[in-house]
Structure formats: C-alpha cells, structure tokens
Amino acid sequence: NAGVTQTPKFQVLKTGQSMTLQCAQDMNHNSMYWYRQDPGMGLRLIYYSASEGTTDKGEVPNGYNVSRLNKREFSLRLESAAPSQTSVYFCASRVAGDLYEQYFGPGTRLTVT
Amino acid sequence: EDKVVQSPLSLVVHEGDTVTLNCSYEVTNFRSLLWYKQEKKAPTFLFMLTSSGIEKKSGRLSSILDKKELFSILNITATQTGDSAVYLCAVRVSGGGADGLTFGKGTHLIIQP
C-alpha cells in the first residue's frame, strides 16, 4: 500500500514550457486535491476532484489544468510555465464523508527559470 | 475571504519544554479544524476537531477548539528533538460547492537538545 505517489520529485522548466505532474493513490479514495506551497504562504488549493469525472477550481487555479483520469489518478498540467509557478506541489486524497483527514503525497519541487 | 492565522510563525525551545501553538480563524460555515505536522516532506495528519469533538489528545500532543472565540491551540509537552517541524493548522468550510482546506502559514518549531 503506497498511499499517495507523485512524479516527478523534482523538475526544472524554462518559461513557456509545459509539463504534467502525476498523482496516484491506492487507497480507493473518492476525493483528490492539488495544493501548492510557497515560502511564508502555507498551502493553497489549486484544484480538486470530488469524484471520478468531476473537477473544480480552488483558490489559485489560474495557469493550471487538471484531469481526473480515473479514480486513482489526478494530474496537474502547466500549459505555459511562468516563474511565479515555482513552488512545491502536493497532491492529496481522502475518503468521502466527514472523515476529512487528507493524505498527502511526497511533493514535487518545480523551478521555472 | 476565509482566513487562518497561526502564531507564532517560529519558535525555538529546549528539549523538555512545553509549547503552545495558536491558530485563529475567520471563515464562513466552519465545519472542522485540522492540525498537521510537516517535516521535510508531506504533511501528516495529527488531529481533527469539530463542534462535536473539541478536545483531542494523543500522547504528548493535545489540542482544543474554542468555537466561540474562533481559535484552537496545539500543546506539546516534554518536547523532543523529533518534534521539530512545521505545524500547520487548516480549516474546512462547508457549503457553496467548495471543498478543500484553507491553511495557515504554519509555525516552525525548533527543539534544541
């Protein structure tokens, strides 16, 4: 049982390049989330998916797109990377209902130059 | 706009000391408050407090929620160097179709031997 996995662990992009961050969970969770964490800013919600086939914007969605490929996988895409998107990205998942504990992946450290 | 404020932002104490970390919030439709511990990787869940569970304890860690005054505290007694981490407070709200957590900026706790 690996929990929440993310790939890659590190990535350096040039401004304007695109890439997709992958996330998968093996806990049969319905809901999945993407957060970014910047120094001094805490974690901020980018997008979430309450169930397979649905996605919704969070607090900071601009510049990102997501895909809930199936129940296990939730990807985050940067179409045209900008230096302001340099951050650590965390994927999380949880079961449905009121047990709101979110399980986090190990994170992807992204640098855009 | 929902807001979660943690204090202090950083704290240095000696092993064996007791620490109190604070979290205040201003949100609409409060549902629950969660505490996470983050070492150099993904946040790990500590406690969830709701109106039906306003005090939690696990070993040397305990937390209370004051829904009237809109704050929570996390206490750590007999601190150890392994308690060094960033402690994150997050609030879940309900309604409006939104999901996900609103995080504070965290308290960086350093325990000196």
Side-chain angles (χ1 to χ4, degrees), chain B residues 29-48:
Chain B
N29 300 318
F30 172 88
R31 191 153 181 185
S32 56
L33 184 145
L34 293 87
W35 284 97
Y36 283 84
K37 178 182 182 183
Q38 186 177 25
E39 296 167 276
K40 293 179 183 177
K41 44 188 177 177
T44 53
F45 175 79
L46 294 174
F47 297 117
M48 184 173 80

Side-chain angles (χ1 to χ4, degrees), chain A residues 3-51:
Chain A
V4 180
T5 57
Q6 291 182 236
T7 56
K9 287 189 171 56
F10 301 95
Q11 183 71 50
V12 179
L13 291 178
K14 289 185 165 48
T15 297
Q17 287 185 319
S18 62
M19 79 160 295
T20 300
L21 281 64
Q22 307 286 354
C23 173
Q25 52 89 12
D26 61 2
M27 297 175 282
N28 203 35
H29 287 171
N30 291 314
S31 299
M32 297 185 74
Y33 308 83
W34 277 105
Y35 293 91
R36 60 178 288 174
Q37 186 174 35
D38 303 299
M41 293 293 291
L43 283 95
R44 292 181 291 170
L45 182 66
I46 306 172
Y47 270 92
Y48 66 95
S49 170
S51 62

Side-chain angles (χ1 to χ4, degrees), chain B residues 52-71:
Chain B
S52 60
I54 59 172
E55 184 170 355
K56 292 286 177 74
K57 185 173 169 62
S58 175
R60 296 178 295 104
L61 276 67
S62 63
S63 181
I64 62 169
L65 173 68
D66 187 324
K67 276 199 73 182
K68 185 179 175 185
E69 300 297 332
L70 307 183
F71 76 88

Side-chain angles (χ1 to χ4, degrees), chain A residues 33 37 40 48 98 100 102 105, chain B residues 31 38 42 92 97 99-100 105:
Chain A
Y33 308 83
Q37 186 174 35
Y48 66 95
D98 277 347
Y100 207 80
Q102 289 189 7
Chain B
R31 191 153 181 185
Q38 186 177 25
R92 182 192 181 195
D99 196 6
K105 294 182 180 181

Side-chain angles (χ1 to χ4, degrees), chain A residues 23-93:
Chain A
C23 173
Q25 52 89 12
D26 61 2
M27 297 175 282
N28 203 35
H29 287 171
N30 291 314
S31 299
M32 297 185 74
Y33 308 83
W34 277 105
Y35 293 91
R36 60 178 288 174
Q37 186 174 35
D38 303 299
M41 293 293 291
L43 283 95
R44 292 181 291 170
L45 182 66
I46 306 172
Y47 270 92
Y48 66 95
S49 170
S51 62
E52 184 179 351
T54 68
T55 61
D56 284 287
K57 296 178 181 179
E59 182 186 352
V60 290
N62 291 343
Y64 305 95
N65 285 302
V66 290
S67 295
R68 183 75 182 267
L69 304 168
N70 47 56
K71 191 170 186 179
R72 290 187 64 249
E73 297 171 290
F74 188 37
S75 62
L76 178 72
R77 182 159 179 85
L78 288 71
E79 290 291 351
S80 179
S84 61
Q85 294 177 303
T86 293
S87 188
V88 180
Y89 291 85
F90 287 101
C91 177
S93 70

